[in-house]
Amino acid sequence: MIDVSIELLFFAIGSFVVMFFVGGIIIQSIPYKLNVKWRSESLEYIDSSNEPIFEDFKMAVRSKFILSALATIVSALVIYTNGPNIDSYVFSIFFVILVLLVGINNKHLLIPDIIVWPLIWSGLIYQSYVGDNLEYYLYSVLIAFSLIFILQQFYIHIKGFEILGGGDLKMFMAIGAWFGYELLPAFFAICFFTGLTIGLLASFTNRFHAKGTSVIYLISALIIYFNANSLSI
């Protein structure tokens, strides 16, 4: 128990420090660099006054502290529940990355490819490493892509605009890579009800505000992780 507590404390503190310092830099620098790239490829770049100011992309210390505390709680909960083992450590890192995406998405309404694509590939690599059926997880990624792509096209045909963007599509692919297609229906349902709950809270209160969809994916992925056996089809 002492060894478990020490490892848990060490990993939790490490999650906080990494998220506060490294995560804070990533949340600021990636959207800034993407903004510079987008502007350089558009007509707006002709006017030099339109160049983004890096200071505008900086996170408040309070926001970094909240994200770091969330990363600490999530990683500690995963390790405490399943014990100190390779699976717990890997999934702790997975959830810390989801917290990082919450920070970027909430501030900039952006899910960067530079983060989400490695998240997909790392899931497939890990499943191959632990000896699970890699073909099963490849099919899971393909099924996740197909389902959300069809939903996107259907909604565009009916309403004339996208309900989910490319980043959302790739997030579902990442869930397929990490959890498999048997949990995709439950994940989709939980995302729907979580998004509905957040929307209602935002509508009826002035103190609750959430931008972006990454917080929905984080909550839903946590529920899936801790209830995988009872939620799989």
Side-chain angles (χ1 to χ4, degrees), residues 67-112:
L67 284 175
S68 301
L70 180 59
T72 301
I73 292 170
V74 168
S75 61
L77 188 60
V78 170
I79 295 174
Y80 178 79
T81 302
N82 297 323
N85 54 63
I86 184 64
D87 188 72
S88 296
Y89 294 143
V90 170
F91 271 93
S92 292
I93 295 171
F94 168 77
F95 284 115
V96 168
I97 294 173
L98 290 190
V99 173
L100 179 68
L101 286 172
V102 169
I104 295 175
N105 196 218
N106 188 65
K107 184 173 177 61
H108 303 287
L109 296 177
L110 174 72
I111 302 179

Side-chain angles (χ1 to χ4, degrees), residues 38-207:
W38 291 336
R39 288 174 182 268
S40 68
E41 295 172 351
S42 69
L43 293 177
E44 293 181 7
Y45 193 71
I46 296 174
D47 184 1
S48 60
S49 63
N50 283 328
E51 288 193 34
I53 302 172
F54 185 71
E55 296 294 326
D56 296 338
F57 290 80
K58 286 189 175 181
M59 287 192 70
V61 174
R62 178 174 176 270
S63 297
K64 288 197 289 186
F65 182 87
I66 292 173
L67 284 175
S68 301
L70 180 59
T72 301
I73 292 170
V74 168
S75 61
L77 188 60
V78 170
I79 295 174
Y80 178 79
T81 302
N82 297 323
N85 54 63
I86 184 64
D87 188 72
S88 296
Y89 294 143
V90 170
F91 271 93
S92 292
I93 295 171
F94 168 77
F95 284 115
V96 168
I97 294 173
L98 290 190
V99 173
L100 179 68
L101 286 172
V102 169
I104 295 175
N105 196 218
N106 188 65
K107 184 173 177 61
H108 303 287
L109 296 177
L110 174 72
I111 302 179
D113 286 351
I114 196 173
I115 295 178
V116 74
W117 273 118
L119 196 63
I120 296 170
W121 286 110
S122 61
L124 294 173
I125 292 170
Y126 176 67
Q127 299 301 347
S128 176
Y129 170 78
V130 297
D132 285 339
N133 187 352
L134 179 59
E135 185 178 355
Y136 165 79
Y137 289 95
L138 286 171
Y139 279 126
S140 299
V141 172
L142 181 60
I143 290 171
F145 171 84
S146 301
L147 289 175
I148 303 305
F149 180 78
I150 292 171
L151 177 62
Q152 282 180 326
Q153 298 308 308
F154 176 78
Y155 202 86
I156 290 172
H157 178 73
I158 298 298
K159 296 292 186 178
F161 59 90
E162 287 186 346
I163 187 174
L164 296 171
D168 300 292
L169 175 64
K170 289 185 278 287
M171 281 302 302
F172 274 88
M173 292 169 63
I175 295 300
W178 282 91
F179 294 100
Y181 64 75
E182 291 181 347
L183 286 167
L184 283 176
F187 180 78
F188 187 86
I190 295 170
C191 281
F192 175 79
F193 287 108
T194 303
L196 182 63
T197 302
I198 291 175
L200 290 173
L201 287 172
S203 299
F204 291 105
T205 65
N206 294 323
R207 296 183 178 180

